[in-house]
């Protein structure tokens, strides 16, 4: 990470080239040297097929670089640079191949400008890439040339397009004289101060603030805290305290830490019960909700709510992100304590949904009466459903089940 060169704006960090490379690195189980050699051997065999295919517009060359050039105990992946070379074809032969490739284009690709202009070549490239990578999850094919990157490499496949024949490659490792592009990137000095509390934002935990036309959701907690402490960068490069008086929401920054129950290593049900006890102790509005948890799961709906019609959390398709208002209904003022309690409840409900694997269920709805639930976490719903046991009364507290 390094400071971003953006003046007249909130200070923020950006990824360095090394950081970007690390972020894009696939998280897979590491492999041994034997697996690396297997990947390379299979890749060479497939490249031979591609470069001998008379129905292709292009030929390929391959260069091996990265950790696979070294002897190690284990490896993350096999980095290979790929380059595409256009074949020298007659007009009749090229038209024949292009027509066949265009016939295999997707409808969406045909509708794009690039798809209409270079549809055949783009389809050829996609098919080549898919053929080379199929069944080789540890193969990482890149378009970057190791020579331009300044990193050592070894030829795997070379090809002469004039004669349309393979070229013998040496086993030697090529070591460019230029430093790696990652090493050429100048590092920026770290600023002496990176966090400054914004002006006119601090309020006490119990101070009530008007919430007219305001929205604060489960997903906003981290962003508000960032806004609270991110300084402003002047044109001279100096850091000054941020002052965003027009953004009333920032007054609540850090509210989620007032109720740390969501940070505990608890099951979702136990966490929800503790969160509701905390809300009762601090007189948070959530304590007045009816202790009924309802779940709705359909094609584009992942909803889990507490009470009757008081929605706290909405799940997007796939359940990878959670959104939903933490502000009370029919109330005009709210405090940081109120938001803290609602946030802990929301995180508990989210955990209940994930633990019970609701997203893996067919379309259904279920109502659970919380005081009757005696388990630490909700059962695995798909497993109960497969066993034919997911029905009303399947476990203590499940009051109603409906399948669509």
């Amino acid at each position: 990470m390094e400071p971003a060169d953006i003046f007249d704006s909130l200070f923020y960090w950006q990824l360095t080239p090394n950081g970007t490379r690390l972020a894009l690195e696939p998280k897979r189980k590491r492999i041994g040297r034997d697996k690396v050699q297997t990947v390379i051997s299979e890749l060479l065999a497939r490249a031979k097929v591609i470069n001998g295919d008379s129905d292709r517009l292009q030929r390929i060359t391959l260069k091996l670089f990265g950790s696979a050039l070294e002897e190690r105990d284990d490896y993350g992946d096999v980095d290979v640079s790929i380059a595409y070379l256009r074949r020298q074809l007659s007009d009749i032969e090229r038209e024949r191949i292009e027509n066949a490739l265009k016939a295999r284009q997707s409808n969406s690709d045909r509708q794009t400008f690039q798809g209409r202009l270079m549809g055949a070549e783009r389809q050829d490239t996609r098919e080549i890439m898919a053929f080379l990578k199929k069944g080789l999850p540890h193969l990482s094919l890149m378009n970057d040339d190791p020579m331009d990157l300044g990193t050592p490499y070894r030829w795997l496949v070379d090809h002469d397009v004039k004669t349309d024949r393979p070229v013998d490659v040496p086993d030697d490792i090529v070591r460019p004289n230029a430093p790696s592009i990652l090493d050429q990137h100048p590092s920026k000095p770290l600023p002496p101060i990176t966090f400054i509390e914004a002006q006119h934002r601090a309020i006490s935990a119990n101070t009530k603030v008007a919430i007219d036309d305001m929205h604060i959701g489960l997903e906003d907690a981290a962003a508000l805290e960032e806004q609270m402490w991110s300084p402003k960068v002047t044109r001279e490069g100096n850091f000054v305290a941020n002052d965003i008086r027009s953004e009333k929401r920032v007054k609540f920054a850090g509210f989620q830490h007032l109720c740390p129950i969501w940070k505990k290593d608890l099951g979702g049900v136990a966490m929800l019960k503790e969160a509701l006890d905390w809300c009762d102790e601090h007189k948070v509005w959530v304590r007045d909700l009816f202790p009924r948890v309802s779940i709705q799961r359909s094609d584009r709906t992942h909803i889990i709510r507490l009470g009757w019609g008081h929605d706290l959390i909405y799940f997007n398709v796939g359940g990878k992100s959670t959104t939903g208002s933490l502000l009370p209904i029919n109330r005009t003022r709210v405090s940081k304590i109120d938001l803290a309690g609602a946030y802990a409840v929301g995180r508990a409900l989210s955990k209940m949904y994930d633990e019970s694997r609701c997203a893996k269920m067919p379309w259904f709805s279920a109502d659970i009466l919380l005081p009757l639930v005696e388990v630490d976490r909700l059962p695995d719903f798909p497993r109960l459903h497969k066993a034919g046991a997911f029905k009303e009364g399947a476990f203590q507290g499940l009051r109603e089940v409906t399948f669509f």
Side-chain angles (χ1 to χ4, degrees):
M1 300 290 289
E2 65 181 3
D5 286 332
I6 304 295
F7 298 130
D8 289 339
S9 65
L10 291 181
F11 167 75
Y12 69 96
W13 299 86
Q14 66 183 9
L15 289 173
T16 64
N18 274 319
T20 302
R21 190 179 180 89
L22 179 62
L24 295 175
E25 186 78 14
K27 306 301 185 293
R28 300 190 182 97
K29 183 178 179 181
R30 298 187 70 80
I31 58 177
R33 188 67 201 180
D34 290 345
K35 182 64 174 179
V36 170
Q37 290 301 134
T38 300
V39 171
I40 293 175
S41 298
E42 180 62 27
L43 180 63
L44 290 175
R46 296 181 185 186
K48 185 176 181 180
V49 173
I50 292 295
N51 285 346
D53 191 345
S54 59
D55 294 328
R56 293 287 164 207
L57 288 176
Q58 304 171 103
R59 298 307 188 209
I60 61 172
T61 64
L62 301 173
K63 297 175 182 177
L64 179 70
F65 68 103
S67 60
L69 292 176
E70 307 170 3
E71 291 294 336
R72 296 186 176 185
D73 294 333
D74 57 18
Y75 302 83
D77 55 11
V78 181
D79 294 317
V80 176
S81 170
I82 183 171
Y84 299 90
L85 310 175
R86 292 178 62 89
R87 294 177 63 193
Q88 298 181 1
L89 300 168
S90 65
D91 293 342
I92 296 176
E93 184 68 1
R94 179 171 297 280
E95 184 178 3
R96 178 189 70 82
I97 298 174
E98 287 182 348
N99 289 338
L101 288 168
K102 289 177 181 178
R104 298 196 293 270
Q105 268 186 285
S106 65
N107 290 331
S108 59
D109 190 47
R110 288 193 185 100
Q111 294 171 4
T112 65
F113 175 76
Q114 289 291 335
R116 293 192 298 269
L117 183 66
M118 303 179 61
E121 188 168 323
R122 284 159 58 94
Q123 182 66 22
D124 193 44
T125 300
R126 276 193 293 268
E127 292 180 1
I128 291 173
M129 183 68 76
F131 177 72
L132 293 176
K133 286 188 64 67
K134 185 177 181 180
L136 299 177
H138 289 91
L139 173 63
S140 178
L141 288 175
M142 305 180 187
N143 294 321
D144 299 319
D145 190 335
M147 180 63 77
D148 295 334
L149 296 176
T151 187
Y153 66 90
R154 178 166 64 84
W155 277 98
L156 292 180
V157 175
D158 196 4
H159 196 85
D160 185 349
V161 291
K162 290 184 178 180
T163 61
D164 200 15
R165 292 180 179 275
V167 176
D168 293 335
V169 294
D171 293 330
D172 298 336
I173 295 177
V174 180
R175 302 186 183 277
N177 294 325
S180 167
I181 191 172
L182 302 178
D183 296 329
Q184 296 174 21
H185 181 75
S187 60
K188 300 175 186 176
L190 297 180
I193 299 176
T194 57
F195 295 100
I196 303 177
E197 186 174 8
Q199 298 178 22
H200 308 290
R201 297 297 97 189
I203 60 173
S204 66
N206 292 295
T207 299
K208 297 284 186 178
V209 176
I211 57 173
D212 299 335
D213 301 323
M214 186 187 300
H215 172 84
I216 297 180
L218 190 76
E219 71 280 10
D220 294 323
L224 291 179
E225 197 167 11
E226 181 183 6
Q227 285 183 276
M228 176 70 170
W229 292 96
S230 293
K232 192 167 181 71
V233 184
T234 67
R235 289 191 175 276
E236 292 75 27
N238 299 320
F239 287 177
V240 296
N242 182 31
D243 185 358
I244 42 180
R245 303 182 191 186
S246 60
E247 180 60 273
K248 295 189 297 183
R249 300 191 313 158
V250 182
K251 294 179 181 180
F252 299 101
F255 66 85
Q256 68 271 28
H257 303 299
L258 297 177
C259 180
I261 291 171
W262 59 273
K263 303 177 184 180
K264 294 184 178 181
D265 186 16
L266 297 171
V269 175
M271 181 182 294
L272 180 57
K273 289 183 175 181
E274 282 201 25
L276 289 175
D277 289 342
W278 188 92
C279 290
D280 189 53
E281 178 185 352
H282 292 82
K283 298 180 174 55
V284 175
W285 65 277
V286 178
R287 64 181 179 151
D288 298 327
L289 299 182
F290 188 78
R292 164 185 172 269
V293 175
S294 64
I295 301 170
Q296 289 184 337
R297 159 78 175 94
S298 63
D299 184 29
R300 294 186 177 274
T301 304
H302 299 257
I303 298 177
I304 183 168
R305 56 168 68 93
L306 176 69
W308 295 95
H310 293 77
D311 299 347
L312 287 180
I313 296 182
Y314 293 82
F315 286 83
N316 293 332
V317 175
K320 294 183 178 179
S321 60
T322 55
T323 60
S325 177
L326 299 176
L327 298 176
I329 298 175
N330 299 327
R331 301 199 182 198
T332 59
R333 303 178 71 82
V334 69
S335 68
K336 291 172 72 172
I337 285 289
D338 293 327
L339 291 178
Y343 183 83
V345 168
R347 289 294 294 265
L349 289 171
S350 175
K351 192 168 188 179
M352 289 170 61
Y353 192 95
D354 290 339
E355 288 175 344
S356 57
R357 299 177 65 227
C358 292
K360 301 294 183 180
M361 284 287 291
W363 296 6
F364 80 101
S365 67
D367 287 343
I368 301 165
L369 192 58
L370 189 63
L372 300 180
V373 179
E374 297 177 349
V375 294
D376 176 72
R377 51 183 286 176
L378 292 184
D380 186 327
F381 284 179
R383 186 175 299 174
L384 283 176
H385 182 255
K386 186 176 181 180
F390 185 51
K391 55 188 178 182
E392 184 177 348
F395 61 90
Q396 193 73 13
L398 182 60
R399 314 309 293 169
E400 183 180 344
V401 178
T402 303
F403 289 98
F404 303 109

